Structure formats: structure tokens, C-alpha cells
Amino acid sequence: MPGTQFDVVAIGNAIVDIIGRCDDSFLDRHGAPKGHMRLVEPATIGKIYETMGPAIEISGGSAANTVVGVASFGGRSAFIGKVAEDEFGRIFRHDIRASGVSFNTPAVVDTGRATSRSLILVTPDGQRTMNTFLGISTDLDQGEVDPEVIKAASIVYLEGYLFDRDEAKAAFRQAVEIANGAGRRVALTLSDLFCVDRHRAEFLALIRSGIGILFANESEILSLYETSDFDEAVKHVARDTKLAVLTRSEKGSVIVSDGTPILVPAEPVKKVIDTTGAGDLYAAGFLYGLARGYELPMAGKLGSFAAAEIIGQMGARPEVKLAHLGRMRGLIG
């Protein structure tokens, strides 16, 4: 979009991801529901960390993964999120900037609150189970929302995980108001099935009042509209927003534009290594394509391509620049 500094600016939880492998019995011993995210205290993460194998530590969080993906495509992206002035805060800040994302939210000093972190356990079938300590990232409020950064974005992307506190909800509504006032597009990801269960009514109100682009996977959209019929959920979402992007794993994705469904096939994957970040990277490809003026089917194809690349490796950071891989495949110029 002319006059914008960034293709995508995201607001979300600033989390340091600690990623390691385990088997199903390890999850059972620690009471971790396979394939889902649960909120835990630092003591629980400590107990799991002590007994797990080798791990890697990188800047994470759903929306942060997405804007790193946009940068990997060669896009211009920024992130707004809250960290403490501690070891994990420094890890997050350095890593996300090194990935090519603008991140200038000031770190918070001496509050007694620690930077958020998530211990991600990956089983041999590639499923990831997240044990997340929502530290200071959930303290995000209107003070962190920089109006000039919001106005400088073609698309503002909001992470549903942040909806657990009233202050963060107020920040979201502030960002929506600023973006809409500046003629920018606003996108929301529902983030997680349990997140939808907790905030269904408020999500629906937000979607209907100012969200132009909605991202959800199949279980999330079914939960949002309290139905077991995907086609029924599509009809509902078509009435509530102009553009919805619904991912369905190996079934591909469905883009619902002005009530019309567009089917996008999944990209083939030789072997699923780790599903961490699949939805986040799909969003990255789609948003990059949308911001750069690609037609919707092609934006969806870029999303499927990015998701397929990320589940073929460990972690949610592309090992090879998506711009390079996309050019090799003839997907981007």
C-alpha cells in the first residue's frame, strides 16, 4: 500500500520459545495435553525442563513468528510486544531484530515480572505441545501501542492469545481504531481452540465491529460458531467479515472473500518434522502476498508453501529465506 513503511505490524505475546523433543509418555507424565497449549507457572516449566533433552531458545509467540516469516519473504515487518529487562527479554529482543523485524517496544525494568516463555515439546509425529508461562507479555496495554507504527503498516495483525486480560483487549481496540482511522487493514488470528472457548462472545463482537481479515484453523472456526459442520461455519463467517482465511491441515485452506469460498490445496510435505508455527507461517505467506498486491489464490498458495516449509524442520524459524525458496519455485519475483 502506498505510503506505508511496513507490510505487516503485529501485536502479540513476546515469548521466548524453548523447543525440544520428547515421546508421548513424557507428555503423559507431565500432564501436558498433546497438540495443545496450556498455561503454566514457572515451577512447572522448570520441572519439565530438568527432565527433557537438549533444547533451543529463540524469540517466539504466534504473531512474532508471523512477522519473522514476513521478513523471511523479503517483506517489511514490525512487532509490538512486552518484555522485561532480564535474560529472556534480551534473548527475545536480539533474536527478533536479527530476523529482520523492527522491534522498539521498551523493556520494562524492576517490576518483579519476568519475560514470558514457552516450553514446546515435539513428539516423533511432529505434533507440538506448548507449556506457556505468560509473564510480562500479557501486561501489554495501550501504552505499548505506538500510533505511528500502526499508521505506518499496510496490515495490522492481532494475536488472539493476548485476549486474556482487559488491558490487552483495550490495546487491541485502540489499535483497531487507529488502523481503521488511517485506512489500514486489520487482521485477527483466533490463536487456539481453548482461547476461542474463553472469549467467544468478545471475539465475535470484535470481528463484527472492525476486523477485515480473520485467520482460524478448522477447530477454532467450528468452536467460534459452536458447530461441527465446517460448511455451516463458512456460512457464518461469510456474514461476519469480508475476508476469512481458514486452514485445514492436509485438506489445505479455504479463503472466504465477500461470501465466496476459494479452495487452496495444501503443499506436499515429504516428512512432517514439527508442526510448530505452521499456522503462523501460513499467515506470514498470506499477509505478505496480500500486502504486496497478489491475488487471493496466490496469497493462499504462498501461505501453504510457507507452512509446508516450516513443518519440514524443527522450530518456527525458516532455515532458508522464504524469499529465496519462493523464487526457486517461481512463486515470487
Side-chain angles (χ1 to χ4, degrees), residues 27 52 66 77 85 89 100 114 143 146 173-174 206-207 210 216 254 259 270 287 308 326-327 331 333:
L27 298 179
M52 68 181 287
T66 294
S77 60
E85 187 56 68
D146 185 335
R173 295 188 180 99
Q174 177 194 24
L206 185 63
I207 292 163
V254 178
K270 290 182 180 179
L287 291 171
R327 284 193 292 269
L331 298 174

Side-chain angles (χ1 to χ4, degrees), residues 5 9 28 37 57 59 101 103-104 106 112 149 153 161 181 184 190 265 288 298 306 312 319-320 326 330-331:
Q5 179 182 354
V9 168
D28 292 339
M37 187 276 284
E57 297 175 349
S59 63
V101 176
F103 175 59
N104 294 310
V149 173
Y161 279 131
R184 308 314 189 197
L190 294 183
Y288 170 80
M298 191 60 197
E319 294 173 353
V320 180
L331 298 174

Side-chain angles (χ1 to χ4, degrees), residues 173-304:
R173 295 188 180 99
Q174 177 194 24
V176 171
E177 182 178 352
I178 294 168
N180 286 339
R184 308 314 189 197
R185 289 174 286 190
V186 181
L188 169 70
T189 174
L190 294 183
S191 294
D192 184 83
L193 171 63
F194 299 138
C195 192
V196 176
D197 289 340
R198 291 194 297 272
H199 305 295
R200 182 177 294 106
E202 288 177 294
F203 274 147
L204 283 169
L206 185 63
I207 292 163
R208 291 164 178 164
S209 66
I211 299 297
I213 310 164
L214 178 67
F215 287 87
N217 64 26
E218 185 166 2
S219 64
E220 291 158 3
I221 202 67
L222 293 177
S223 175
L224 183 69
Y225 292 108
E226 298 183 276
T227 178
S228 59
D229 186 329
F230 181 77
D231 292 334
E232 184 68 22
V234 168
K235 292 177 183 177
H236 283 297
V237 79
R239 291 192 289 266
D240 284 341
T241 189
K242 291 183 178 180
L243 181 61
V245 185
L246 312 176
T247 56
R248 308 184 74 190
S249 299
E250 69 277 359
K251 297 177 186 176
S253 56
V254 178
I255 301 167
V256 187
S257 175
D258 289 323
T260 302
I262 302 168
L263 305 182
V264 180
E267 289 285 309
V269 180
K270 290 182 180 179
K271 183 180 180 182
V272 175
I273 302 297
D274 173 16
T275 58
T276 303
D280 304 334
L281 269 292
Y282 183 101
F286 186 89
L287 291 171
Y288 170 80
L290 193 65
R292 293 299 175 101
Y294 287 78
E295 297 294 328
L296 291 177
M298 191 60 197
K301 188 173 181 63
L302 288 174
S304 293

